[in-house]
Amino acid sequence: MTYITEAWYPVVWADRVGRELTRHTVLDEPIVIYRLENGDIAALRDVCPHRRAPLSLGKLKGDTIECGYHGMTFDCSGKCVLIPGQEIIPRTAMVRAFPLQVKYGMVWLYMGEPKNADPAKIFHIEQYGKEGWHAVQGDTLRIECNYLSLCDNLLDPAHVTFVHASTLGTPAGAAVPVNNDYGESTITVWRWIRNGPVIPLFEKFGKLQGLVDRWHYYTYSMPCNFSIDMGSCVAGAIPDMEKRSEGVQMFTCHMLTPVDERTVLQHWFHVRNFRTDEHDIDAALSAGLDMAYREDKVVLERIQIEEERDPHFKNITLGIDAAPMKMRRMVAATIESEAAGRP
């Protein structure tokens, strides 16, 4: 499996990083993450360059890591500062340090060349922190499937009616076609369902009843991040589709960490424009969203098993597959371009 490397990837919620050494895997790369004494966070390759013992098995001493095998000690820049019983430290006694940023309460690492680590290229959602919107940190779901399979799912409004009947869907959307808009590094799949029943989550938390117009805009950003704009209004109340913020609107954001060929972490949060001062509903709304994502998890993990059982099976292609297929071509082309640019 190969991945896009010249990109920022989410790893772990920052409030879960403390003064202990924790091991993470991103793009098949082992990484140790810990908090410094001044409150900052450091990330190093979790491999001692001597015998390849994981540094996460060692000890944190101040802001340095002492390898648990032979005591080689590395600072947060990856430089070896001590070798017990040896005064001369080889110049090659280094561990890779990853550029790191915290955004949306999430630790992001740049997995490519450090000189290319532009924080402005981290996934962005305009409504986060904006007046009139309330952001709620969600959780992380581990799914035993290839990350591109989850990307397919998050570019597919058509499955909502059938997988999420108790949370995000209603039968009214089954026959409504989707529209696709393509950018250089983004894809948006969207549709409006007019004059239909309200979805269960918006009936409960958005206080909507009767017939509504509702929308889904699924926007993918390379390498594997998504913002899903979902909302509803009283039927006929918003004829201009660009004025969706006048209705009950919520963005659910999904930031994916490809762990390895068959494992992905789905980090998520939501930003809403309704009941923004009623923080007592945050946990219940997040629980409803978590239930929906676990419904996807069941399907995706079974698909992974079937793909591994019969890797030569030929899937048929439907019209709803246009955006996922485009996404996979974009990823493949970027991986190929990166490979061509390497010495």
Side-chain angles (χ1 to χ4, degrees):
M1 165 63 70
T2 52
Y3 311 92
I4 295 173
T5 56
E6 295 298 328
W8 291 92
Y9 286 91
V11 185
V12 62
W13 295 104
D15 61 8
R16 299 179 185 179
V17 178
R19 290 284 295 162
E20 63 276 337
L21 303 173
T22 58
R23 181 180 172 95
H24 305 264
T25 304
V26 183
L27 314 188
D28 283 306
E29 182 88 0
I31 297 167
V32 58
I33 293 179
Y34 63 102
R35 192 172 292 277
L36 305 179
E37 290 181 328
N38 67 0
D40 291 343
I41 300 173
L44 303 177
R45 190 166 188 264
D46 193 21
V47 178
C48 178
H50 176 221
R51 295 281 181 83
R52 292 192 277 188
L55 293 177
S56 57
L57 294 180
K59 295 179 181 178
L60 184 59
K61 294 193 168 183
D63 286 340
T64 65
I65 300 177
E66 179 186 84
C67 178
Y69 199 10
H70 295 99
M72 290 182 66
T73 303
F74 301 86
D75 66 17
C76 60
S77 73
K79 179 182 177 182
C80 181
V81 295
L82 175 68
I83 301 178
Q86 178 175 323
E87 292 185 5
I88 298 176
I89 299 176
R91 287 184 298 175
T92 54
M94 293 283 296
V95 176
R96 181 184 179 186
F98 294 86
L100 183 151
Q101 294 286 319
V102 176
K103 187 174 183 179
Y104 311 124
M106 172 65 61
V107 174
W108 297 78
L109 301 185
Y110 195 80
M111 299 301 293
E113 291 292 330
K115 65 181 181 181
N116 298 329
D118 181 359
K121 294 184 178 180
I122 299 176
F123 166 70
H124 182 69
I125 176 75
E126 179 183 353
Q127 288 75 14
Y128 191 95
K130 193 173 181 180
E131 185 177 357
W133 294 86
H134 176 53
V136 179
Q137 179 175 313
D139 207 344
T140 296
L141 187 63
R142 183 183 180 93
I143 304 178
E144 299 301 329
C145 76
N146 184 274
Y147 82 100
L148 291 176
S149 184
L150 179 54
C151 288
D152 290 341
N153 174 272
L154 292 170
L155 270 175
D156 176 22
H159 82 277
V160 173
T161 296
F162 306 99
V163 178
H164 305 303
S166 65
T167 51
L168 303 177
T170 69
V176 179
V178 299
N179 304 277
N180 302 325
D181 296 331
Y182 302 122
E184 183 177 347
S185 59
T186 62
I187 299 173
T188 300
V189 181
W190 60 276
R191 66 177 177 177
W192 280 68
I193 300 169
R194 302 283 186 179
N195 204 37
V198 63
I199 66 172
L201 275 185
F202 280 169
E203 181 178 27
K204 181 177 181 180
F205 297 103
K207 297 184 177 180
L208 289 172
Q209 295 181 340
L211 297 179
V212 299
D213 294 338
R214 62 185 177 92
W215 62 84
H216 280 93
Y217 286 73
Y218 290 53
T219 299
Y220 160 78
S221 302
M222 284 208 295
C224 47
N225 300 302
F226 295 80
S227 64
I228 300 178
D229 170 4
M230 63 175 74
S232 298
C233 63
V234 175
I238 305 180
D240 185 347
M241 292 188 294
E242 297 305 311
K243 295 184 178 181
R244 299 188 295 278
S245 62
E246 295 178 1
V248 172
Q249 188 177 27
M250 178 169 65
F251 289 83
T252 60
C253 299
H254 305 262
M255 308 164 293
L256 310 188
T257 306
V259 175
D260 54 35
E261 188 174 355
R262 67 178 323 278
T263 310
V264 60
L265 301 180
Q266 180 181 9
H267 315 281
W268 57 271
F269 65 88
H270 82 261
V271 186
R272 67 176 189 265
N273 72 349
F274 58 94
R275 302 178 70 179
T276 57
D277 295 328
E278 299 179 48
H279 298 181
D280 58 314
I281 72 168
D282 291 354
L285 179 51
S286 290
L289 293 171
D290 181 68
M291 180 186 301
Y293 307 148
R294 290 180 183 277
E295 291 167 342
D296 288 324
K297 172 181 166 73
V298 171
V299 176
L300 294 172
E301 291 185 340
R302 290 298 298 271
I303 289 173
Q304 180 70 29
I305 291 171
E306 288 302 312
E307 289 179 341
E308 293 172 346
R309 185 184 63 82
D310 186 1
H312 302 295
F313 184 86
K314 299 295 183 182
N315 296 344
I316 65 170
T317 301
L318 305 180
I320 58 175
D321 298 324
M325 291 175 64
K326 173 68 172 178
M327 175 272 300
R328 285 178 177 256
R329 290 195 297 269
M330 289 168 60
V331 170
T334 303
I335 292 171
E336 183 178 351
S337 176
E338 287 186 356
R342 296 191 187 104

